[in-house]
Amino acid sequence: MNVTCEQFRDRILELAYGELDSSTATGLRDHADRCSACRDELHRIERTRQLAAMLPEEVIPTHFDADILQLAARTAETAAAKTNRTAAEPGIAGRLLPFILQPRIAALSLAAAVLVGLVWTVNHRSPREAMFGPGGAPFEGAVIREVETPSRNEAPDITASPVQKAGADLRDADPTLPMLPRGRRFSPPRSDRPQPSESIPVPSPVTTDAAGATNPVDDLIYDAEPSVSAKKALMPPPSTARAKSTASGGGSTLPLASAADASPAPTMEMAEQESPQTPLGEAISLYRAGNCRDAVPLFQSIVTGGPIAERPASLHYMARCDRRSGRCGQALLLYEQLLRDYRAYPDRSEALHEAASCHRRLGHDDRARELLMELSDDPDWSARARAEMAEIAP
Amino acid sequence: MFQSGNAGAFEELFKRYKGPIFTFLIRRCGNRDTASELTQEVFTRVIHRGGTFAHQSRFSTWIYTIARNAAVDHARSSRHRQHASLDQTGDDQQALSERIPGNLPLPDRGTEAASLRDALATAIDRLPEDQREVFILREYHGMPFQEIAQVVDAKVGTVKSRMRYALESLRRELEPWEDIARSPQ
């Protein structure tokens, strides 16, 4: 094999580090034997390598081994439990599907649906009747203007359902009424449905979620049992003003950091109202009883595969468990993840303060100062944050 | 195996990679505490992201990529802190040469070898970050250039070029000790 100096220089590093097959290496070495410049270059690299080998070994720390292995064991247990649960229990669709697919049930359901439709058509009131009452006359004393109904010659608005038209008409009369988006199903008033627990506020009769959309799946499961997600949808949104001020660090709203921020995360206070039957509720009960050992795997399972809205609060509780146990280093991994990935988390200020105190304990004054600086933007925490910043030596 | 929740398999991986990852991080970051924290972070990420390892590359490439990204993130945030206080020498500025324990058994020509170790550590510290990480991965972790290219997200040619510059810088810095390399050990 005839090797040029250029080819030699291209492959000299692989040759020096033994990355070449034997025939290529032999060809290159033959060239080095004939060419003093290439030989010298190869020798220089080899000598530098010999000197580099004098760097002593580092002493490997062991203080975190137990924490890491414990975390791995907890995660493995959670994953195994989740797999078993998934294998043992089919989801709602899995449970309903065999039932729905029975021919008799299907035929009866269809007949019932047709009957209900007929009854509804017969008893249905027109939008005009809905607004003005039976006979189309305005209610006595109502201060609303006459609404033009489309004439037969006008092209009908095929995209709007009768109920949407009624809604539009009503909004003309009262602009404060909420919009009903086109193409979305109308939802009957919540008062017609079985009410969830007393502590959960009932939202407005028309909108069923923050976006004003009606979720057919929610409608299906509503009559059965209010799920955690359904409860979340019913919960009042967190204080947006506070979330904005803490997330932006200055008043302007930042774009959401991640998809996880798209849904409102419950505050820790709201999370504590969780039913003990839910994983989050159960985990919080254990945490409050001082049993972090059993609580952490549950929080962990939520963080890795639970409802997105519950993840920041779960991370926060896990961090608190580590902090309680004096493992500030481990807690900070979780706090930093929480602060980085969930910028709109409503309890961000609490997390900032706790993380800052852990950083101070570990002597990371610069990072503690950064977090306290951000915390000082929250009016509720400003004085405390500034006082603590003053305590940190410059 | 560890991807399916096998804690025993993870323990094996942890035993095998803890030392190399810590060594890589300490030589790249230059600080023992930081390297320790980052090593924990790397393995925490491995636990949480085990399911995302797609076997398209070797596990070692994957875990070193995680470690390298953690170090890059950390360097970025420390640079921000250094800007805030330029006259402070925090922990992160601790040089590799300052960390070398003085009580290690020395080779025959003790004093000379000790000063070579200092000079070597200083020379590695002085390398630009991109050259240093390539040099460390190739020289002390035995990683082929192809894999290094994946870890540092660069072309193989670029990696080899960085390595060439790194070796040249080290050669210049260590010239006074070349006799040690020439003589039999």
Side-chain angles (χ1 to χ4, degrees):
Chain A
M1 180 177 156
N2 209 1
V3 177
T4 64
C5 289
E6 197 180 339
Q7 287 169 331
F8 183 85
R9 278 196 296 275
D10 273 352
R11 315 298 303 268
I12 190 169
L13 286 174
E14 285 106 321
L15 179 67
Y17 284 92
E19 287 190 23
L20 297 173
D21 60 81
S22 60
S23 69
T24 310
T26 308
L28 290 169
R29 286 200 184 279
D30 287 347
H31 173 81
D33 287 343
R34 293 191 303 273
C35 173
S36 61
C38 291
R39 185 169 60 244
D40 285 351
E41 197 174 342
L42 181 61
H43 285 170
R44 274 200 295 275
I45 291 174
E46 285 170 345
R47 279 200 297 275
T48 308
R49 289 200 64 204
Q50 281 177 26
L51 292 171
M54 298 291 283
L55 198 66
E57 291 284 312
E58 297 286 346
V59 180
I60 311 298
T62 54
H63 66 273
F64 54 77
D65 290 12
D67 280 349
I68 294 288
L69 293 174
Q70 202 182 354
L71 178 65
R74 283 197 309 245
T75 310
E77 277 171 24
T78 310
K82 197 175 164 189
T83 310
N84 291 342
R85 220 173 26 241
T86 311
E89 296 172 17
I92 292 175
R95 284 201 295 270
L96 289 178
L97 202 60
F99 184 71
I100 291 168
L101 289 180
Q102 285 187 14
R104 285 181 189 175
I105 301 291
L108 277 173
S109 305
L110 187 63
V114 170
L115 192 63
V116 168
L118 283 171
V119 171
W120 185 83
T121 309
V122 169
N123 295 334
H124 177 58
R125 294 185 302 164
S126 71
R128 191 178 178 82
E129 284 172 332
M131 194 188 312
F132 300 124
F139 292 123
E140 199 174 37
V143 189
I144 47 177
R145 64 183 173 80
E146 181 66 42
V147 178
E148 291 291 326
T149 51
S151 70
R152 286 174 189 275
N153 295 334
E154 286 173 22
D157 182 0
I158 54 170
T159 59
S161 73
V163 179
Q164 281 171 332
K165 283 180 182 170
D169 293 345
L170 285 165
R171 267 193 308 283
D172 282 345
D174 181 0
T176 61
L177 281 174
M179 289 288 289
L180 183 67
R182 288 187 173 192
R184 296 238 165 95
R185 283 197 310 125
F186 177 71
S187 173
R190 286 278 182 189
S191 54
D192 293 345
R193 298 169 162 186
Q195 296 300 306
S197 78
E198 290 294 320
S199 63
I200 299 171
V202 179
S204 77
V206 177
T207 55
T208 54
D209 63 21
T214 306
N215 184 346
V217 178
D218 275 357
D219 287 347
L220 270 179
I221 62 175
Y222 194 92
D223 291 333
E225 186 185 352
S227 66
V228 174
S229 59
K231 281 186 184 178
K232 283 289 177 302
L234 293 171
M235 281 181 174
S239 161
T240 42
R242 187 171 166 217
K244 275 182 190 174
S245 80
T246 52
S248 63
S252 63
T253 313
L254 280 179
L256 291 172
S258 66
D261 282 340
S263 52
T267 61
M268 296 193 92
E269 193 183 341
M270 286 156 68
E272 281 173 16
Q273 292 169 3
E274 278 290 334
S275 155
Q277 277 80 47
T278 66
L280 182 59
E282 190 185 343
I284 290 167
S285 301
L286 290 166
Y287 170 84
R288 294 172 85 175
N291 184 359
C292 271
R293 188 186 163 152
D294 292 328
V296 166
L298 292 172
F299 287 130
Q300 176 75 38
S301 69
I302 294 166
V303 170
T304 51
I308 289 171
E310 293 176 358
R311 290 179 190 178
S314 301
L315 260 179
H316 196 168
Y317 275 111
M318 284 171 68
R320 282 185 169 177
C321 276
D322 280 327
R323 188 163 163 261
R324 262 188 187 178
S325 317
R327 292 192 299 268
C328 253
Q330 189 64 30
L332 280 173
L333 293 177
L334 300 166
Y335 278 123
E336 292 290 355
Q337 186 185 345
L338 173 66
L339 296 173
R340 186 184 61 235
D341 294 347
Y342 301 95
R343 295 193 64 83
Y345 174 49
D347 280 327
R348 184 176 178 84
S349 294
E350 282 81 352
L352 280 168
H353 185 253
E354 289 158 23
S357 75
C358 256
H359 276 300
R360 286 182 67 188
R361 201 181 298 171
L362 293 177
H364 307 156
D365 287 349
D366 286 344
R367 181 62 182 149
R369 201 180 287 114
E370 277 177 10
L371 298 179
L372 289 171
M373 183 68 82
E374 186 186 335
L375 184 61
S376 67
D377 290 334
D378 182 343
D380 295 341
W381 286 83
S382 182
R384 192 168 174 183
R386 287 180 196 285
E388 290 187 21
M389 268 194 286
E391 285 171 13
I392 301 175
Chain B
M1 285 287 280
F2 84 100
Q3 287 175 289
S4 54
N6 183 336
F10 175 81
E11 194 172 345
E12 275 303 308
L13 287 174
F14 181 65
K15 275 183 195 162
R16 191 179 305 169
Y17 284 100
K18 185 186 88 169
I21 292 294
F22 175 80
T23 307
F24 168 63
L25 288 168
I26 196 169
R27 285 176 178 161
R28 196 187 182 285
C29 307
N31 179 271
R32 195 172 173 81
D33 290 340
T34 304
S36 178
E37 288 277 327
L38 290 178
T39 305
Q40 292 178 63
E41 193 178 327
V42 168
F43 283 99
T44 307
R45 288 186 194 180
V46 169
I47 291 166
H48 288 146
R49 299 181 191 171
T52 64
F53 174 55
H55 297 277
Q56 285 165 351
S57 58
R58 293 174 60 181
F59 179 80
S60 59
T61 313
W62 187 68
I63 194 169
Y64 275 103
T65 308
I66 292 175
R68 191 250 180 189
N69 290 344
V72 167
D73 290 347
H74 178 268
R76 208 172 282 150
S77 63
S78 346
R79 261 198 294 276
H80 173 70
R81 288 202 291 275
Q82 282 169 29
H83 284 304
S85 168
L86 286 172
D87 52 349
Q88 262 187 322
T89 29
D91 282 351
D92 287 345
Q93 282 83 50
Q94 185 189 14
L96 179 61
S97 50
E98 290 165 27
R99 292 194 326 269
I100 293 181
N103 56 352
L104 280 177
L106 299 175
D108 294 334
R109 286 172 292 170
T111 318
E112 208 176 12
S115 62
L116 163 62
R117 284 195 317 227
D118 285 349
L120 175 59
T122 307
I124 293 173
D125 276 338
R126 282 184 191 162
L127 289 175
E129 209 166 70
D130 54 353
Q131 292 176 27
R132 188 164 66 235
E133 66 185 2
V134 168
F135 174 75
I136 290 168
L137 287 170
R138 181 56 269 196
E139 189 63 50
Y140 298 113
H141 297 265
M143 190 176 281
F145 292 112
Q146 188 76 44
E147 269 188 68
I148 295 174
Q150 289 177 46
V151 170
V152 303
D153 194 21
K155 290 178 179 166
V156 180
T158 308
V159 166
K160 280 160 66 175
S161 169
R162 288 174 189 170
M163 184 72 183
R164 215 184 293 268
Y165 281 119
L167 285 168
E168 187 55 33
S169 301
L170 291 176
R171 191 191 63 77
R172 277 198 307 270
E173 297 265 347
L174 302 176
E175 215 161 9
W177 285 269
E178 277 214 335
D179 288 345
I180 293 182
R182 283 200 180 107
S183 62
Q185 297 291 309

